[in-house]
Amino acid sequence: YLSNTSTLSTKMAKSFPEEVLEHVFSFITSDSDRNAVSLVCKSWYEIERWCRKRVFVGNCYAVSPRILTRRFPEVRSVEIKGKPHFADFNLVPEGWGGCVYPWISAMAGAYPWLEEIRLKRMVVSDEALELISTSFCNFKVLVLSSCEGFSTDGLASIAANCRELRVLDLRESEVDDLSGHWLSHFPDTWTSLVSLNIACLGSEVSFSALERLVARSPNLRTLRLNRAVSLEKLHNLLCRAPQLVEFGTGAYSSELRPDVFSNLAGAFSGCKQLKGLSGFWDVVPAYLPAIYLTCSGLTSLNLSYATIQSPDLVKLVSQCHNLQRLWVLDYIEDIGLDALAASCKHLQELRVFPSDPYVVDPNVSLTERGLVAVSEGCPKLQSVLYFCRQMSNAALVAIARNRPNLVCFRLCIIEPRAPDYLTLEPLDAGFGAIVEHCKELRRLSLSGLLTDRVFEYIGTRGRKLEMLSIAFAGESDLGLHHVLSGCESLRKLEIRDCPFGDKALLANAAKLETMRSLWMSSCSVSFGACKLLGQKLPRLNVEVIDERGSPDSRPESCPVEKLYIYRTVAGPRVDMPPFVWTIDEDAALRV
Amino acid sequence: MSMPLEELNYIGLSEIPAMENSEKLASKGLNLKATELRLGLPGSESPERDNGLGVLKGFTSGAKRGFSDTINGDSGKWVFTGNGGSEVDLGKNGALFSPRSVNGSGSECTSLKEVVPLSPKAVHEKKPQISAVNGHGVAPAAKAQVVGWPPIRSFRKNSMAVNPPKSDEDAKLGSGCLYVKVSMDGAPYLRKVDLKTYSSYMELSSALEKMFSCFTIGQCGAHGVPLRDGMSESRLMDLLHGSEYVLTYEDKDDDWMLVGDVPWEMFTVSCKRMRIMKSSDAIGL
């Protein structure tokens, strides 16, 4: 029977000309589907690899540039991620790695027709930017998300050389801001700009260059300015770009002048397609009404830098009946979240950031009640990031029951190990309810006082959980063991300051090969255990990051500072700084 | 889905599929519990705990330990020494993470429950709760800062630092972080330091010595074996205090100045980035 079906499938495979299969494959865009296609048989693998146009590399060290370019010769779009997520919070020392240059260098040779590069948490040098600008004649899209290592000189190369550029998006990158002149390097003949995001830049760009650029870009849809662009100048830009869909202001403050206000209000009302607003640093509330006419069309509003109080926020948000995404500071308070729940029935994503995270006493009246209200009032809510100072199991249970459609739930109770403020119990039951009711939950961040029990709930009920972040939680290795032995879909696990050690890790070592990565810092994993893992599992890179000097200079039972384990087909890194050690198969310590 | 392990006899759980492992871990009862690491608030009521104070066993400490070293038994507060894992500022009052709950005395617990009603204004009545923890009336608002907590990206932190929140006490406390880059001539990459975690030039310079010590001895040698700490630090100190290197900074007016000329507070406010420069290049500063 088996030999019959294999003959049949071979016959079928051979009966379709490659061009037909290629055409069929061109409709398959998701990476996982493409990967599945390539596993069907050798000829499908070959056809698929020759026509794959878009590649996503979730961990730049999981695969090498050479492996990529050898397997997929016709790539047009690449997305690569570098440092682990906790690098966002300064837990990964500078110099750890994630340098993009070797990738650019390999692709410069292999992909002369490359059009798109998207990087996240990578170190991008000016040399890399210059190489990009001169290697790909059809280059269209550059997105640098939380990257660093480059200056405005590198941006000048991109501006000067990329004639087909459509998207330049610097997201929250750290740029060495030498001057604003780089923008003037865009040639006057260049008119293909679609999206420009320079919100992260500190210094002033030449406004007249910006104005001329906007005026000659009929396809401009997204423009996010930096803080240095003053409010009085906004109407100049908006009037020249009434087709904008997303707009980010600069500092939203100015002396109160009626002419400035009416110019601005007029300009905003001229943008009939506006769906998203952001920016709003240094807001003067009197200027907020200038955007009221756009509110009913807005689907996305980022007020997370706007230091305005709850009444002004309520007035604004209550008019945004079509809002799907809101990022805001905790100045919105419970009262504001009540108003949000009443007005914004299409809300899908809410992020509430702390206005003053380093003070013990709350400076605003934002509690668990606000989140409960939104979970009740917003039936489409699926993604939450919420910073607050108190939480209760009862509130978490209510949220879970109200919103079983949650996909991403990240709660940060500012004080580590804070218990249920009503009962003083751990928050195990509350988070347990979240994983139990929210069956589609893919991402979860825990906080507050938590015992091993919460991990038992997560391990058994978090079946679709892909990313889990744990801090200051748990009591013993049992907690980690619950997670590693359960959580079938787990891809990324990041842990800090938890009493997890060798036992759970070694007992579940094989699990690590099914995940993208594991990060553990300030835990209790010994160097001996790391060596064992590195020896026994050659397809994992076990990196010990320790700024106290070589782990060999301490007893093997001594815990390491930080540990980063990830699966890879590229073998050990060759670009490690002195404070990173990796263990290879013969347990030699490799720096 | 997970495959049985082959030879991992490290903890005697080899060749057993994951499910049985969990039963084993649970059933090993006393054995595991006696040696397992625990962290928890003193007096908290978890039934699995001993007499309320978590005890750390099972690893030897080196001289500079991260994580936690001692428990201050009297006040029930955890005391961390700096360095290593949770890098922490001990500058203010030395007590960290003042636990929100209190040592298990009944009266304090009930008073907490009364104090926190379910009204929107509940938050403003928190003060009694905090002072119950700090019985000796130490101003509670000076919070020790842990690296990377709360988890907020640098870009957001720096944006908020420029425009501090509207609260009187905060302005005095100098909340927030202040990350500046430090580069060293000849070093392959730069480091970042949070100026708020130091309270004097001495602290800053000793921290920088530790960070950059391995650069001055030629990248710790070809096989990654650094010289012992004492040797490398003193060598860097010699270099810094001698004539080879000077510590400079770029201020808000984009001028490069020698570190140490202005009062510390003024320095932290005006410093944008630092550079460990060769003395020969620093002529004229």
Side-chain angles (χ1 to χ4, degrees), chain A residues 381-448:
Chain A
L381 187 70
Q382 37 170 272
S383 176
V384 169
L385 170 63
Y386 199 76
F387 284 81
C388 61
R389 286 182 161 84
Q390 66 182 49
M391 187 51 60
S392 66
N393 282 308
L396 285 171
V397 170
I399 292 165
R401 289 205 176 122
N402 289 338
R403 285 284 64 79
N405 48 326
L406 282 175
V407 160
C408 169
F409 188 72
R410 296 194 278 166
L411 179 68
C412 179
I413 306 165
I414 288 177
E415 182 74 23
R417 303 194 191 89
D420 177 328
Y421 77 99
L422 294 170
T423 64
L424 298 184
E425 283 172 1
L427 291 169
D428 300 338
F431 279 107
I434 295 280
V435 287
E436 160 136 32
H437 292 276
C438 306
K439 303 207 192 296
E440 301 298 313
L441 197 70
R442 290 201 296 266
R443 184 168 179 183
L444 178 64
S445 297
L446 305 171
S447 59

Side-chain angles (χ1 to χ4, degrees), chain B residues 3-77:
Chain B
M3 298 167 291
L5 303 170
E6 286 190 343
E7 290 166 336
L8 284 174
N9 261 316
Y10 191 68
I11 48 172
L13 291 177
S14 60
E15 293 168 315
I16 301 169
M19 271 222 328
E20 286 178 50
N21 277 350
S22 68
E23 289 163 35
K24 279 225 162 191
L25 275 175
S27 69
K28 285 229 161 161
L30 281 177
N31 271 356
L32 275 185
K33 298 284 184 236
T35 56
E36 73 185 73
L37 294 170
R38 293 147 187 262
L39 272 188
L41 301 170
S44 54
E45 293 130 302
S46 167
E48 294 170 310
R49 241 178 271 277
D50 299 334
N51 50 6
L53 277 182
V55 176
L56 300 170
K57 295 184 188 153
F59 64 87
T60 49
S61 310
K64 296 175 191 170
R65 286 300 303 117
F67 210 30
S68 58
D69 271 335
T70 52
I71 302 156
N72 185 338
D74 293 336
S75 63
K77 295 189 175 80

Side-chain angles (χ1 to χ4, degrees), chain B residues 61-243:
Chain B
S61 310
K64 296 175 191 170
R65 286 300 303 117
F67 210 30
S68 58
D69 271 335
T70 52
I71 302 156
N72 185 338
D74 293 336
S75 63
K77 295 189 175 80
W78 297 100
V79 177
F80 287 44
T81 60
N83 292 343
S86 304
E87 293 148 42
V88 161
D89 172 25
L90 291 176
K92 309 275 158 76
N93 54 14
L96 316 171
F97 306 148
S98 322
R100 297 249 306 206
S101 74
V102 175
N103 265 325
S105 83
S107 59
E108 280 165 330
C109 282
T110 44
S111 76
L112 279 173
K113 285 183 185 163
E114 285 165 17
V115 153
V116 186
L118 293 175
S119 73
K121 295 294 176 211
V123 190
H124 298 297
E125 282 145 54
K126 275 253 170 5
K127 290 214 159 42
Q129 183 183 4
I130 304 291
S131 52
V133 173
N134 282 299
H136 31 275
V138 172
K143 186 175 170 60
Q145 285 183 36
V146 178
V147 171
W149 192 266
I152 300 167
R153 287 187 175 179
S154 315
F155 180 69
R156 183 169 296 284
K157 269 194 288 212
N158 293 341
S159 292
M160 298 306 288
V162 172
N163 213 10
K166 300 169 169 84
S167 166
D168 296 332
E169 43 178 309
D170 305 330
K172 290 178 219 142
L173 294 170
S175 56
C177 308
L178 209 52
Y179 275 95
V180 298
K181 293 187 182 177
V182 188
S183 61
M184 178 167 178
D185 289 355
Y189 50 84
L190 44 76
R191 310 304 301 271
K192 267 194 232 179
V193 294
D194 178 1
L195 289 182
K196 296 271 185 200
T197 59
Y198 311 110
S199 50
S200 71
Y201 283 117
M202 276 300 294
E203 286 179 25
L204 172 66
S205 78
S206 69
L208 290 179
E209 280 157 25
K210 291 197 182 87
M211 270 186 222
F212 285 94
S213 54
C214 62
F215 293 133
T216 60
I217 344 153
Q219 272 88 43
C220 308
H223 298 290
V225 180
L227 301 175
R228 277 193 300 272
D229 276 354
M231 208 161 149
S232 57
E233 277 174 36
S234 65
R235 168 121 170 87
L236 179 61
M237 281 188 70
D238 287 344
L239 290 173
L240 285 183
H241 295 157
S243 54

